[in-house]
Amino acid sequence: MNAVIAAVGIMLILSLSRVHVVIALIVGALVGGLTGGLGIDATLKAFNSGLGGGATVALSYALLGAFAVAIGKSGLAHALADKALAMVDRQHASGGGSVKWLLIGLLWVVAIASQNILPIHIAFIPLLVPPLLYVLTKLQLDRRLIACVMTFGLITPYMFLPVGFGNIFLNEILLANIARSGVDISGINVTHAMGIPALGMVFGLAMAFISYRKKRVYDLAKIEQVEQVAVQYNPLSLMIAGVAIAAAFIVQLLLDSMIIGALVGFLIFSVSGIVKWRETDDLFTEGMKMMAMIGFIMIAASGFAEVMKATGQVQTLVESSASWINHSKGIGALLMLLVGLLVTMGIGSSFSTVPILAAIFVPLCVQLGFSPIAIVCIVGTAGALGDAGSPASDSTLGPTSGLNIDGQHHHIWDTVVPTFLHYNLPLLAFGWVAAMVL
């Protein structure tokens, strides 16, 4: 059996069986390495060498957690939550319908902006979502819907709009790797190429609103235990919080470092007195603990991805699927998209998947007679497939980090499975149609 299929299959089966994702990734990596003929020593060496690749992201999450706790101390996010809660109470007779859509719309807009307008990626989630969780719970909103809304905003903009992270994915990675493989991409409108697959994401979001339209009851007492519902704040604390957030975002954009940005924001809270100096250590530790699980998953995922690359069987998987195509465009497009889905779910990053796939898919697409714009569509969609629905992707880990602070939102069954069903399946279908008509 192909090592990639074995590793990803074991990882997904264990995750769906409620085995912790970190354990599932380690076991999957061991199975993949041994199946790929690396042996136990080479597998462990590859896994250990890959761990460092996730360290930066893990430390970023830890510092963002500390920054989020400091923001909570200032009362800024809670001031927003209090306003929303007051609106809910005023509209109690109607179930707070307009407030529900206002909050969903807010999270949707912020998630989209985090990819293109203010490219901070998932940094907004631990800052914005936990304080709003009490309001969302009081409205009995299904958190699976919120996870789908945020995941849509974290993925669709970068795969469709060439701005911010979209510029990196579409221009610097996708088009650059296709051109490197010998295809003339001059005159290709990448937004046009990815337009139909992006519509698949829109379709999936619409289905999520239907699937999770019913109310879901959560325990408010559990939120009160971990998230301060009543927080004292004043105009000065709110102003300092605004300055700290602005400074953190500006530093991140200038230095391209979430770590330094979050650290600067936290220091502003400490120096201003919002966070008292004697409380700094405990507060910092509390924030890091909040994000610890996500960080360890990212570290383990990096080790898993390194083992997959070391086996050399990603290319073998692609080449073996080519033998099934038999010069059929329809079968070829479908198999390439399925391989992309499998590889991305294992690696956990569409940005890392595209260079791997482009080197092999592009010559195959040329041989099958696909147009240059269709090749861009196939490789781009194959790379994006699996970003939603991967247990190791930050597009699913991010929403879970904000929605599970009270232990009432399961990463696999409440984020991974819903986003896989509502985004990967439509993206697969719409991507295939686009490949055939472009």
Side-chain angles (χ1 to χ4, degrees), residues 236-391:
L236 178 61
S237 70
L238 297 181
M239 182 186 73
I240 292 173
V243 171
I245 292 172
F249 286 165
I250 291 171
V251 169
Q252 181 187 330
L253 292 175
L254 291 176
L255 301 181
D256 193 25
S257 172
M258 280 196 292
I259 294 174
I260 302 301
L263 185 60
V264 167
F266 188 84
L267 288 175
I268 290 174
F269 280 119
S270 299
V271 172
S272 66
I274 298 297
V275 174
K276 292 182 172 53
W277 191 255
R278 65 178 179 273
E279 299 175 352
T280 301
D281 188 51
D282 290 340
L283 189 145
F284 200 86
T285 302
E286 179 187 344
M288 294 181 74
K289 283 164 59 178
M290 184 173 72
M291 293 290 119
M293 185 196 78
I294 307 299
F296 280 117
I297 291 175
M298 294 302 298
I299 290 172
S302 293
F304 181 94
E306 190 62 31
V307 173
M308 294 304 95
K309 294 174 185 176
T311 63
Q313 294 208 8
V314 173
Q315 182 170 347
T316 304
L317 175 63
V318 177
E319 290 172 349
S320 62
S321 65
S323 64
W324 288 78
I325 292 173
N326 196 25
H327 301 290
S328 168
K329 276 189 173 184
I331 296 175
L334 180 60
L335 282 176
M336 283 187 278
L337 293 175
L338 287 172
V339 169
L341 170 62
L342 190 66
V343 174
T344 306
M345 287 196 71
I347 293 177
S349 168
S350 54
F351 287 68
S352 300
T353 302
V354 168
I356 298 172
L357 298 180
I360 308 158
F361 280 2
V362 172
L364 184 57
C365 287
V366 172
Q367 185 179 355
L368 291 171
F370 283 105
S371 65
I373 194 170
I375 294 174
V376 171
C377 174
I378 290 171
V379 177
T381 306
L385 267 167
D387 198 359
S390 169

Side-chain angles (χ1 to χ4, degrees), residues 7 11 20-34 38-55 295-311 346-347 392:
M11 183 264 289
H20 197 281
V21 179
V22 172
I23 296 175
L25 284 164
I26 294 171
V27 174
L30 290 172
V31 170
L34 295 175
L38 291 180
I40 189 67
D41 290 337
T43 300
L44 291 175
K45 183 178 179 181
F47 186 83
N48 292 335
S49 68
L51 294 179
F296 280 117
I297 291 175
M298 294 302 298
I299 290 172
S302 293
F304 181 94
E306 190 62 31
V307 173
M308 294 304 95
K309 294 174 185 176
T311 63
I347 293 177

Side-chain angles (χ1 to χ4, degrees), residues 135-189:
V135 183
L136 297 173
T137 302
K138 196 160 186 178
L139 288 169
Q140 297 183 345
L141 263 173
D142 195 324
R143 294 185 192 179
R144 292 173 295 181
L145 173 60
I146 303 301
C148 288
V149 167
M150 288 194 287
T151 299
F152 174 91
L154 293 172
I155 295 175
T156 308
Y158 82 67
M159 63 174 280
F160 177 63
L161 300 171
V163 181
F165 287 118
N167 179 59
I168 297 172
F169 179 76
L170 296 172
N171 292 327
E172 297 181 18
I173 296 178
L174 178 59
L175 291 183
N177 279 277
I178 291 175
R180 200 172 292 124
S181 298
V183 173
D184 182 12
I185 58 170
S186 58
I188 289 181
N189 186 330

